[in-house]
Amino acid sequence: MAAVTETLDTVQSVTQSGYKWGFETTIEMDFAPKGLNEDIIRLISARKEEPEWMLEWRLKAYAAWLKMDEPHWARVDHPPIDYQDLHYYAAPKKKAGPKSLDEVDPELLKMYEKLGIPLKERALLAGVDPDSVENTQVAVDAVFDSVSVATTFQATLRKAGVIFCPISEAVREYPDLVKQYLGTVVPVADNFFAALNSAVFTDGSFCYIPKGVRCPMELSTYFRINARNTGQFERTLIIAEAGSHVSYLEGCTAPQRDENQLHAAVVELVAMDDAQIKYSTVQNWYPGDANGTGGIYNFVTKRGACRGARSKISWTQVETGSAITWKYPSCVLLGEDSVGEFYSVAVTNNHQQADTGTKMIHIGKGSRSTIISKGISAGKSNNTYRGLVKMLPSASNARNFTQCDSLLIGDQCGAHTVPYIESRNPTAKVEHEATTSKIADDQLFYCRQRGLSEEDAVGLIVNGFCKDVLKELPMEFAVEAQKLLAVSLEGSVG
Amino acid sequence: MLDIRGLAASINDKPILKGIDLTVPEGEVHAIMGPNGSGKSTLGYVLSGREDYEVTAGTVTFNDVDLLGMAPEDRAAAGVFLAFQAPIELPGVNNANFLRTALNAIRRAHGESELDAVQFLKLARAETKRLAMPDDMLKRNVNVGFSGGEKKRNEVLQMAILRPKLAILDETDSGLDIDALKIVADGVNALRGPKFSALVITHHQRLLDHLVPNRVHVLAGGRIVRTGGPELAKELEKSGYAGLIAEAA
Amino acid sequence: MTTGAIAFLERYQSLIGRLPGDSALRAAAAAAFRTAGLPGGTQQRRIEAWKYTSLRPVAETAFKPDAAPRHEAETILTGLPLLDAPRLVFVDGAFRPDLSVMPTAGFARFAEQPDFGTLSWPDREPMVALNTMLAEDGAALHVPAGYDAGVVQLISIAASDADFHPRHVIRLGKGSQLTLVEVSAGQGTYLLNTVAEFHIADGAHLTHIRLQDEAASAFHISTTYADVEAGATYDSFTLNLGAQLSRTEVHAQLTGAGAIAHLNAAQLLAGSQHADFTSVVGHTAPGCTSRQTVKNVLAGRSRGVFQGRIEVARDAQKTDGYQMNQALLLSPYAEVDSKPELEIFADDVKCSHGATVGELDAEQMFYLRSRGIPDAEARSILVRAFLAEALDAVADDTIRFRLEAAVERWWERQKA
């Protein structure tokens, strides 16, 4: 806990005010020319030294994307995105692929330090013997713009049979696994942004947990958008074989920019019989300034398939960043008695717009899902929960419970709840509750009477409001997430 | 020393306090008694800075600083503590975390070092033990699911930990059985000393048997209509307020 | 454009100049309808407001507006659970003074004094556009300020396989009262596409009870707009039992401080019936209250839809909004779709909604059966109990008994 606080302090001392992660690293970049066409895709594929089948897969996705329209059903509003005005490939220039940490650019390591990657992880990154900190290990696959630059703990993981590597490497090293699963949860033409990602994804993480293995450490990825006018298109694929367990942490920050940057990731999870995947995200990408200038456009497709009996996929997200968030981490509950969970905190302030939620598709008998969503709107922002719970005729005795709570801070923001409930099985049970409220004046006064400043009081009450979600986060993230909530709401009261 | 001069206050343009003069010297405990609607709770809220009350006249100084110009948290840092008549629930906010945040905010304001979680828990556990409260009181969410008595005791616990210079107890005795009443009284008595003063708002003589005040004031219709020693409370217990109010009118 | 939509437009063309009222308004509505078509009538465009209901069966039905009635209107009327109160009877869309009993409130026929009102949105609602384009008759009622107009029944009877587009405008003056009981029934394959609007002035109270018991092959589309002003109340209850496809759409705007709206409904469906209850409650003034309980009981291969949105505008502080949607699935082939929605732009509000979907409670069933009650009877007891909660919202005993009787008849029909 102290380590996290310390790193946060470090970060805060680096920048004076406002967005605390808004710095830019000066590393030489290797850009592809702006624009998107088959040649760019061929170039990406070639840079990645991909096999022919991967290129064909991308081109198929590109052909599908060309026929699709940008979706407009979400409650978000933005100027048209010029997809030809972006770089689709940007990578730090390097001599050769970094094989060990010594070869990692010190500038990069310094950046992770600024990012507030917990101290112990940095220590590990810096070469501390992993065995001496066995119980607190976090393997980090750090994605710097498009290229995964350092993957730690490969050896420890490999001993357990776990594969954790950049997906570009997986395409080369484990083509059969990738071929077998890639695009099976999120098909290439699933939606506009998923198709775009499928065509141009440059990197991301690949993770394979073999049968019966409990992953010996939390897997973690830090995403960061750094270069100017580059879209970021990560692709993550996690496969948990029968009886395996894995917890995956994803954290995101991006430097301050005036232009809006596009981010369209795809995450696919596959859980077989009795497997469990816990996927946690703390997203604090640059939200734009107080006037709504700049910020990340975050259009993400995250979906997990509970294919096996009693399998479980749990999504936990704390979303405080991005100018626009369009994100619905979902579960397709195919397996009998499979379990899907979605725990979400979404905070919007200033001019941020978030349209986020989940889909729980119940197919398997006895499948269960829980949705807990906490939306906090402040400033002039709009925060929408959009969720689908679908019980198919086969989903006998399936259950869903949904709780959506919205908190409004100030009278210039909006909080919206749009649940869709569709049931075609009489034995399936769906329960949905939603509330909207504000922080009561007497709660604020009570805290202030005890000596807390108004902002601290709001932070405390908001954290209390979010507790049911925050307690689902791994310890590494929970403290950071709490601080983030307070930081995100700075200036929203008084 | 708390010094109130000509204090008048209203809520939603309705005058409640109509000119209060009251001095509580350092080290003294004063009781405020009076019928319902006389303005007792309002006085507590105005002294602690609740924003929906508008002060229309008068001054309040506490240890020579103007209290009325300060934000509620600054008054708390200056040592003013209000034990709420109906303590507020804070869902999801852990009692220990709440108290530590408050204590550290006040310590910061005094230029003192903050307590870490371990130091704080040690202190808090000692206080809960002293006040005969179960340890799990600290783990629970602030006042959520507390019984009426537990809420009142939680207020006393907060007071014990925050160690105010001026405690305002707003009917902290109401709804308590005799054992709980003793705990409340003992909690205040434990803090009594040359640097501590208290305003005890109550309906009943009962509390004052255990928490003997230096002075007793009777508030009626927004004014103090009579002041006396501890015997005044006993007299009121017998004769009620009616005669007093008629006398004042 | 589908054949159905084209037929409506052609009819409009042939009637231009002969239809009562503002022809420019009709032309604009026709243009809007030409653009929109019948919702779901073609695959090309999906409208979110019609996500779960497609009017393709309407588009594919050839209505015969000029055919002679095939059924006896009087017989149908006699079979209705009428109250001993004034009634305005419309047969095949046309007002029938001979069957009506005049109310004490001011009444005018649309055919004679066309009044399109001011609240509807033909440009946003395709079916309102269709109504505006083709409306020929309807009722205008005016309740003067401070007057209690008692109960007025508004009855629609369909006796031929045609399409009808009644247009009603009801105005309640300040502090006045009215209980409007709307009953619709008929025989054959017809389309009833009603647009009604209610202006409820300060402190007025409108109780609106609806019993929809259309023919099994009929289409029933009804769009209601209510403007509820300061301290006024719109208290509505809708019971949907009939029609192969129905859509009940209500837009209630709470435009004055302290206004109240109750939008309660129950839908009992069997066979391949499809019923859609869609509502939008707009809180635009401070201190308003809205309450809504909608229950679906779904048997056979039926499909029940609930879409309900509570909108709270920036200035509507101290709003109190509550919405509950419950569905009981009685068959493995039934389907329910529910979309309760909150759209909130004010911070000092208390808004919540809940939705539950499932079958009868297994423990309750077991309890009843363990007391010797046979399965079928136990089910019917529990379903009735489920519905009773919704019907309890109807305060007037006489009217509630009529609705309960209609529910009983529905059960009898299911047994037959």
Side-chain angles (χ1 to χ4, degrees), chain C residues 90-127:
Chain C
F90 289 77
V91 174
D92 288 349
F95 181 61
R96 286 281 295 271
D98 55 318
L99 300 176
S100 301
V101 178
M102 281 301 135
T104 52
F107 168 71
R109 276 184 76 170
F110 181 93
E112 290 160 3
Q113 291 177 43
D115 182 353
F116 283 100
T118 52
L119 301 175
S120 72
W121 297 318
D123 51 332
R124 283 196 234 170
E125 316 284 346
M127 296 309 285

Short mmCIF file of all heavy atoms in Angstrom, two decimals, chain C residues 90-127:
data_model
loop_
_atom_site.label_atom_id
_atom_site.label_comp_id
_atom_site.label_asym_id
_atom_site.label_seq_id
_atom_site.Cartn_x
_atom_site.Cartn_y
_atom_site.Cartn_z
N PHE C 90 -67.96 5.11 -30.97
CA PHE C 90 -67.47 5.21 -32.35
C PHE C 90 -67.52 3.81 -32.96
O PHE C 90 -67.02 2.85 -32.38
CB PHE C 90 -66.05 5.73 -32.38
CG PHE C 90 -65.94 7.19 -32.03
CD1 PHE C 90 -66.02 7.62 -30.72
CD2 PHE C 90 -65.79 8.14 -33.04
CE1 PHE C 90 -65.95 8.97 -30.40
CE2 PHE C 90 -65.72 9.50 -32.73
CZ PHE C 90 -65.80 9.91 -31.40
N VAL C 91 -68.15 3.69 -34.12
CA VAL C 91 -68.20 2.41 -34.80
C VAL C 91 -67.43 2.55 -36.11
O VAL C 91 -67.69 3.47 -36.89
CB VAL C 91 -69.65 1.96 -35.07
CG1 VAL C 91 -69.66 0.68 -35.91
CG2 VAL C 91 -70.38 1.72 -33.75
N ASP C 92 -66.47 1.70 -36.29
CA ASP C 92 -65.59 1.77 -37.47
C ASP C 92 -65.04 3.19 -37.65
O ASP C 92 -65.00 3.73 -38.75
CB ASP C 92 -66.32 1.30 -38.73
CG ASP C 92 -66.52 -0.23 -38.71
OD1 ASP C 92 -65.92 -0.90 -37.84
OD2 ASP C 92 -67.27 -0.73 -39.56
N GLY C 93 -64.70 3.78 -36.54
CA GLY C 93 -64.04 5.08 -36.58
C GLY C 93 -64.99 6.26 -36.63
O GLY C 93 -64.56 7.39 -36.45
N ALA C 94 -66.28 6.04 -36.86
CA ALA C 94 -67.20 7.16 -37.01
C ALA C 94 -68.10 7.29 -35.79
O ALA C 94 -68.57 6.28 -35.24
CB ALA C 94 -68.05 6.98 -38.27
N PHE C 95 -68.33 8.52 -35.38
CA PHE C 95 -69.15 8.75 -34.19
C PHE C 95 -70.58 8.34 -34.45
O PHE C 95 -71.15 8.59 -35.53
CB PHE C 95 -69.08 10.24 -33.82
CG PHE C 95 -69.89 10.57 -32.59
CD1 PHE C 95 -69.57 9.97 -31.37
CD2 PHE C 95 -70.96 11.44 -32.65
CE1 PHE C 95 -70.33 10.25 -30.23
CE2 PHE C 95 -71.72 11.72 -31.51
CZ PHE C 95 -71.40 11.13 -30.30
N ARG C 96 -71.20 7.66 -33.47
CA ARG C 96 -72.59 7.20 -33.63
C ARG C 96 -73.43 7.80 -32.52
O ARG C 96 -73.57 7.24 -31.44
CB ARG C 96 -72.62 5.67 -33.54
CG ARG C 96 -72.05 4.98 -34.80
CD ARG C 96 -73.05 4.96 -35.93
NE ARG C 96 -74.22 4.17 -35.58
CZ ARG C 96 -74.32 2.85 -35.81
NH1 ARG C 96 -73.34 2.19 -36.40
NH2 ARG C 96 -75.41 2.21 -35.46
N PRO C 97 -74.06 8.96 -32.83
CA PRO C 97 -74.89 9.62 -31.81
C PRO C 97 -76.00 8.70 -31.32
O PRO C 97 -76.39 8.74 -30.15
CB PRO C 97 -75.46 10.84 -32.53
CG PRO C 97 -74.87 10.87 -33.89
CD PRO C 97 -74.03 9.68 -34.11
N ASP C 98 -76.51 7.84 -32.22
CA ASP C 98 -77.64 6.99 -31.85
C ASP C 98 -77.28 5.97 -30.76
O ASP C 98 -78.13 5.51 -30.02
CB ASP C 98 -78.16 6.25 -33.09
CG ASP C 98 -77.05 5.46 -33.79
OD1 ASP C 98 -75.92 5.99 -33.91
OD2 ASP C 98 -77.29 4.30 -34.19
N LEU C 99 -75.98 5.62 -30.69
CA LEU C 99 -75.56 4.64 -29.68
C LEU C 99 -74.97 5.33 -28.44
O LEU C 99 -74.63 4.68 -27.47
CB LEU C 99 -74.51 3.69 -30.28
CG LEU C 99 -74.95 2.86 -31.48
CD1 LEU C 99 -73.78 2.03 -32.01
CD2 LEU C 99 -76.11 1.92 -31.11
N SER C 100 -74.81 6.65 -28.52
CA SER C 100 -74.10 7.38 -27.46
C SER C 100 -75.05 7.98 -26.43
O SER C 100 -76.24 8.13 -26.69
CB SER C 100 -73.26 8.50 -28.07
OG SER C 100 -72.33 7.94 -28.99
N VAL C 101 -74.47 8.25 -25.29
CA VAL C 101 -75.20 9.00 -24.25
C VAL C 101 -74.34 10.23 -23.95
O VAL C 101 -73.19 10.09 -23.54
CB VAL C 101 -75.36 8.14 -22.96
CG1 VAL C 101 -76.06 8.95 -21.87
CG2 VAL C 101 -76.10 6.85 -23.25
N MET C 102 -74.89 11.41 -24.20
CA MET C 102 -74.08 12.62 -24.16
C MET C 102 -73.56 12.96 -22.76
O MET C 102 -74.29 12.88 -21.78
CB MET C 102 -74.89 13.82 -24.69
CG MET C 102 -74.96 13.85 -26.19
SD MET C 102 -73.31 13.94 -26.90
CE MET C 102 -73.46 12.72 -28.19
N PRO C 103 -72.31 13.36 -22.69
CA PRO C 103 -71.75 13.78 -21.40
C PRO C 103 -72.15 15.21 -21.07
O PRO C 103 -72.61 15.93 -21.96
CB PRO C 103 -70.24 13.68 -21.63
CG PRO C 103 -70.08 13.89 -23.10
CD PRO C 103 -71.33 13.42 -23.78
N THR C 104 -71.94 15.59 -19.82
CA THR C 104 -72.24 16.97 -19.44
C THR C 104 -71.10 17.91 -19.84
O THR C 104 -71.30 19.09 -19.98
CB THR C 104 -72.46 17.06 -17.92
OG1 THR C 104 -71.35 16.46 -17.26
CG2 THR C 104 -73.74 16.36 -17.51
N ALA C 105 -69.90 17.35 -20.01
CA ALA C 105 -68.78 18.19 -20.45
C ALA C 105 -68.99 18.55 -21.92
O ALA C 105 -69.72 17.87 -22.63
CB ALA C 105 -67.48 17.44 -20.27
N GLY C 106 -68.35 19.65 -22.35
CA GLY C 106 -68.52 20.10 -23.73
C GLY C 106 -67.95 19.09 -24.71
O GLY C 106 -66.81 18.65 -24.59
N PHE C 107 -68.74 18.67 -25.69
CA PHE C 107 -68.31 17.66 -26.65
C PHE C 107 -68.42 18.19 -28.07
O PHE C 107 -69.38 18.88 -28.42
CB PHE C 107 -69.18 16.40 -26.50
CG PHE C 107 -68.99 15.41 -27.64
CD1 PHE C 107 -67.82 14.68 -27.77
CD2 PHE C 107 -70.01 15.23 -28.59
CE1 PHE C 107 -67.65 13.79 -28.82
CE2 PHE C 107 -69.84 14.34 -29.66
CZ PHE C 107 -68.67 13.61 -29.76
N ALA C 108 -67.44 17.85 -28.88
CA ALA C 108 -67.51 18.18 -30.31
C ALA C 108 -66.92 17.03 -31.11
O ALA C 108 -66.00 16.35 -30.64
CB ALA C 108 -66.76 19.47 -30.60
N ARG C 109 -67.47 16.78 -32.30
CA ARG C 109 -66.92 15.74 -33.18
C ARG C 109 -65.78 16.30 -34.00
O ARG C 109 -65.86 17.41 -34.52
CB ARG C 109 -67.99 15.28 -34.16
CG ARG C 109 -68.91 14.24 -33.64
CD ARG C 109 -69.84 13.81 -34.77
NE ARG C 109 -69.17 12.92 -35.74
CZ ARG C 109 -69.83 12.28 -36.69
NH1 ARG C 109 -71.14 12.40 -36.80
NH2 ARG C 109 -69.19 11.49 -37.52
N PHE C 110 -64.76 15.48 -34.16
CA PHE C 110 -63.64 15.89 -35.01
C PHE C 110 -64.14 16.14 -36.44
O PHE C 110 -63.72 17.08 -37.10
CB PHE C 110 -62.58 14.81 -34.98
CG PHE C 110 -61.34 15.11 -35.79
CD1 PHE C 110 -60.25 15.71 -35.20
CD2 PHE C 110 -61.29 14.79 -37.15
CE1 PHE C 110 -59.11 15.99 -35.95
CE2 PHE C 110 -60.16 15.06 -37.90
CZ PHE C 110 -59.06 15.67 -37.29
N ALA C 111 -65.05 15.28 -36.90
CA ALA C 111 -65.54 15.39 -38.28
C ALA C 111 -66.19 16.75 -38.53
O ALA C 111 -66.19 17.24 -39.66
CB ALA C 111 -66.52 14.26 -38.57
N GLU C 112 -66.73 17.33 -37.49
CA GLU C 112 -67.41 18.62 -37.65
C GLU C 112 -66.51 19.79 -37.25
O GLU C 112 -66.54 20.84 -37.89
CB GLU C 112 -68.69 18.63 -36.81
CG GLU C 112 -69.75 17.70 -37.41
CD GLU C 112 -70.83 17.30 -36.40
OE1 GLU C 112 -70.79 17.79 -35.25
OE2 GLU C 112 -71.69 16.47 -36.76
N GLN C 113 -65.76 19.61 -36.18
CA GLN C 113 -64.85 20.68 -35.74
C GLN C 113 -63.46 20.08 -35.55
O GLN C 113 -63.07 19.75 -34.43
CB GLN C 113 -65.31 21.26 -34.39
CG GLN C 113 -66.59 22.06 -34.48
CD GLN C 113 -67.01 22.53 -33.08
OE1 GLN C 113 -66.19 22.98 -32.29
NE2 GLN C 113 -68.29 22.40 -32.78
N PRO C 114 -62.74 19.88 -36.63
CA PRO C 114 -61.45 19.17 -36.52
C PRO C 114 -60.48 19.87 -35.57
O PRO C 114 -60.31 21.08 -35.65
CB PRO C 114 -60.92 19.17 -37.95
CG PRO C 114 -61.80 20.06 -38.73
CD PRO C 114 -63.06 20.31 -37.98
N ASP C 115 -59.92 19.10 -34.67
CA ASP C 115 -58.96 19.64 -33.71
C ASP C 115 -57.81 18.64 -33.59
O ASP C 115 -57.96 17.54 -33.07
CB ASP C 115 -59.68 19.81 -32.35
CG ASP C 115 -58.76 20.43 -31.29
OD1 ASP C 115 -57.55 20.59 -31.57
OD2 ASP C 115 -59.27 20.73 -30.20
N PHE C 116 -56.67 19.01 -34.12
CA PHE C 116 -55.51 18.11 -34.07
C PHE C 116 -54.72 18.26 -32.78
O PHE C 116 -53.75 17.55 -32.54
CB PHE C 116 -54.58 18.37 -35.26
CG PHE C 116 -55.07 17.78 -36.56
CD1 PHE C 116 -55.71 18.57 -37.50
CD2 PHE C 116 -54.89 16.44 -36.81
CE1 PHE C 116 -56.16 18.03 -38.69
CE2 PHE C 116 -55.34 15.89 -38.01
CZ PHE C 116 -55.99 16.70 -38.96
N GLY C 117 -55.09 19.24 -31.97
CA GLY C 117 -54.36 19.44 -30.73
C GLY C 117 -52.98 20.02 -30.99
O GLY C 117 -52.67 20.46 -32.11
N THR C 118 -52.15 20.02 -29.96
CA THR C 118 -50.84 20.68 -30.10
C THR C 118 -49.69 19.84 -29.57
O THR C 118 -48.54 20.25 -29.63
CB THR C 118 -50.85 21.99 -29.28
OG1 THR C 118 -51.29 21.67 -27.94
CG2 THR C 118 -51.79 23.01 -29.87
N LEU C 119 -50.00 18.67 -29.05
CA LEU C 119 -48.93 17.93 -28.34
C LEU C 119 -48.24 16.86 -29.19
O LEU C 119 -47.16 16.40 -28.84
CB LEU C 119 -49.51 17.25 -27.09
CG LEU C 119 -50.15 18.17 -26.04
CD1 LEU C 119 -50.76 17.33 -24.93
CD2 LEU C 119 -49.12 19.13 -25.47
N SER C 120 -48.86 16.43 -30.25
CA SER C 120 -48.34 15.24 -30.94
C SER C 120 -47.15 15.58 -31.83
O SER C 120 -46.92 16.72 -32.20
CB SER C 120 -49.44 14.61 -31.76
OG SER C 120 -49.72 15.42 -32.88
N TRP C 121 -46.39 14.54 -32.14
CA TRP C 121 -45.18 14.70 -32.97
C TRP C 121 -45.26 13.80 -34.20
O TRP C 121 -44.59 12.76 -34.25
CB TRP C 121 -43.96 14.28 -32.17
CG TRP C 121 -43.66 15.10 -30.98
CD1 TRP C 121 -43.73 16.46 -30.87
CD2 TRP C 121 -43.22 14.62 -29.71
NE1 TRP C 121 -43.37 16.84 -29.61
CE2 TRP C 121 -43.04 15.74 -28.87
CE3 TRP C 121 -42.94 13.35 -29.19
CZ2 TRP C 121 -42.61 15.62 -27.55
CZ3 TRP C 121 -42.53 13.24 -27.88
CH2 TRP C 121 -42.36 14.37 -27.07
N PRO C 122 -46.03 14.20 -35.22
CA PRO C 122 -46.11 13.35 -36.42
C PRO C 122 -44.73 13.13 -37.05
O PRO C 122 -44.48 12.09 -37.65
CB PRO C 122 -47.02 14.15 -37.35
CG PRO C 122 -47.70 15.16 -36.50
CD PRO C 122 -46.82 15.41 -35.32
N ASP C 123 -43.84 14.11 -36.86
CA ASP C 123 -42.53 13.98 -37.51
C ASP C 123 -41.66 12.96 -36.82
O ASP C 123 -40.71 12.45 -37.39
CB ASP C 123 -41.84 15.36 -37.57
CG ASP C 123 -41.81 16.04 -36.21
OD1 ASP C 123 -42.73 15.77 -35.39
OD2 ASP C 123 -40.89 16.82 -35.96
N ARG C 124 -41.97 12.65 -35.55
CA ARG C 124 -41.15 11.68 -34.83
C ARG C 124 -41.79 10.31 -34.75
O ARG C 124 -41.11 9.31 -34.59
CB ARG C 124 -40.90 12.17 -33.41
CG ARG C 124 -39.87 13.26 -33.33
CD ARG C 124 -39.42 13.39 -31.88
NE ARG C 124 -39.58 14.78 -31.44
CZ ARG C 124 -39.45 15.17 -30.17
NH1 ARG C 124 -39.22 14.27 -29.24
NH2 ARG C 124 -39.58 16.42 -29.84
N GLU C 125 -43.13 10.28 -34.79
CA GLU C 125 -43.83 9.01 -34.60
C GLU C 125 -44.56 8.64 -35.88
O GLU C 125 -45.57 9.24 -36.23
CB GLU C 125 -44.87 9.15 -33.47
CG GLU C 125 -44.39 9.88 -32.24
CD GLU C 125 -43.47 9.04 -31.38
OE1 GLU C 125 -43.42 7.81 -31.60
OE2 GLU C 125 -42.78 9.60 -30.51
N PRO C 126 -44.08 7.63 -36.58
CA PRO C 126 -44.69 7.27 -37.86
C PRO C 126 -46.19 6.99 -37.75
O PRO C 126 -46.96 7.39 -38.64
CB PRO C 126 -43.95 5.99 -38.26
CG PRO C 126 -42.68 6.00 -37.50
CD PRO C 126 -42.92 6.79 -36.26
N MET C 127 -46.62 6.34 -36.67
CA MET C 127 -48.03 5.99 -36.58
C MET C 127 -48.89 7.22 -36.27
O MET C 127 -50.06 7.26 -36.61
CB MET C 127 -48.25 4.89 -35.53
CG MET C 127 -47.59 3.58 -35.90
SD MET C 127 -47.98 3.02 -37.58
CE MET C 127 -49.65 2.44 -37.35
#
